[in-house]
Every structure is written in structure tokens, then in C-alpha cells.
Amino acid sequence: MSQIVFYLSLLSIVAILVLSLLAFVSENFSFFPPPSKGSWQYKTFWVLFRLMFVGLLYLSYSEFSPEPLFGSQLRYFLWLPLLALGFGAATYISAKLGWENAHGEKGGLIVSGLYRWSRNPIYATSLVGMIGWGFFVNSHYVSTLLGLWALMYLLAPFIEEQWLEKTYGDQFLTYKSRTSRFFGFPRSLRENG
């Protein structure tokens, strides 16, 4: 059963990556961010993402290794906290951003709070959570899916920035020039320090 779930989850995340890359290189095709909440792109993305995520949860339970990588001390005192803090922070930031913005709808450009330090704090904190998750579970299936999910989150900002430039124009370009992609000091703080 684990192998079937793994391949369904793998197919889902690969489909998201391929569709996203097609949208990145083609001016005539869009996928993410979706053009609207009712679009096929929105529905397809969320069906595929949920299939991958539910499969990942199942595999994390069914393939949980009794032999932790680097010892049980790190499993419970480093990897589990990274998992919880990373995804906890990503969930909190998503709620602060607004679910519409977090899911690719136009809800206004947010440039304050954590968005002063990172243009993509949800992705950055999720990546921390993925590292913790992978080491905590210690499964090849889980690590493979998390690696592809991480790749998606590393590529997504490049894809989204095209949309953000079209949608918010000079406002986004000014923000982009002052703020790091994943994490860094705002340009105004760097110039004053």
C-alpha cells in the first residue's frame, strides 16, 4: 500500500512542478498563481497538492522509522521542533497574509511585518519545517516527496514574481528591490547600519 500511495503522491507533485514550469516558460499558459478561484488551474492545483499532502501524511505514519537518523535525541529535540516551528510559522504567516493572498488571489501586496525581511516567508519557514519532517520520520519515500515539495517552494517565487510584477507593477518592483527573496535585512536597515 505504501508504494501505491508514494507513486500517487509523486505523480501529483511532479504534475504540479511540470504545469508550473510550463506556465513559467509560456506566455500563453497559466497555472500558478491561478487566474481565479473557480478556474481549472485553481482546482487542479489544490486537488494535486492535497493528494500529495495526504499521501505524505500517510507515508509519515506507515513508514516512520524506528531507527532515527543521528539518534533519538536529535529526533525529538531538533527535528520535531523544526517541523513544528517551521509549519507553525508558515500557518501563522498565511493567516496574517490572508488566505486569498496565500492561495494566489489578488488581495493586496503585503510589505510589512515579516514581509519586510522576506518576500517569501511562508516558503522559507515551510522549508525549515520540511527539513525537520524529513529527519524526524527518516523514510526514503517521505524524504523524496519532501525534496520535491521543497523544490516547488524554491521555484515558486520565480514563477509568482512574474504575476506580482504584472499585478502590482512599480509597487512590487520597489518592494522587490528592498527585500530579500527568502531572508535578509531590509535594504533600508542595511544602508543605515
Side-chain angles (χ1 to χ4, degrees), residues 5 23-24 38 44-45 52-53 56 68 76 84 90 108 117 145 171 174 178-179:
V5 171
F24 183 67
T44 301
F45 176 84
M52 182 275 302
F53 190 76
L56 192 54
Y76 294 103
W117 303 86
L145 294 174
Q171 184 185 10
T174 301
R178 291 190 323 239
T179 310

Side-chain angles (χ1 to χ4, degrees), residues 30-31 33-43 103-105:
S30 67
F31 182 67
S36 69
K37 193 171 185 174
S39 68
W40 73 265
Q41 294 96 327
Y42 184 91
K43 293 172 185 172
H103 295 121
E105 298 176 50

Side-chain angles (χ1 to χ4, degrees), residues 17 24 28 48-49 68 86 91 112 141 144 165 182 185-186 189 191:
L17 284 165
F24 183 67
N28 300 323
L48 291 171
F49 187 83
T91 302
S112 60
Y141 285 154
T144 300
E165 285 181 26
F182 288 107
F185 288 102
L189 291 177
E191 291 168 356

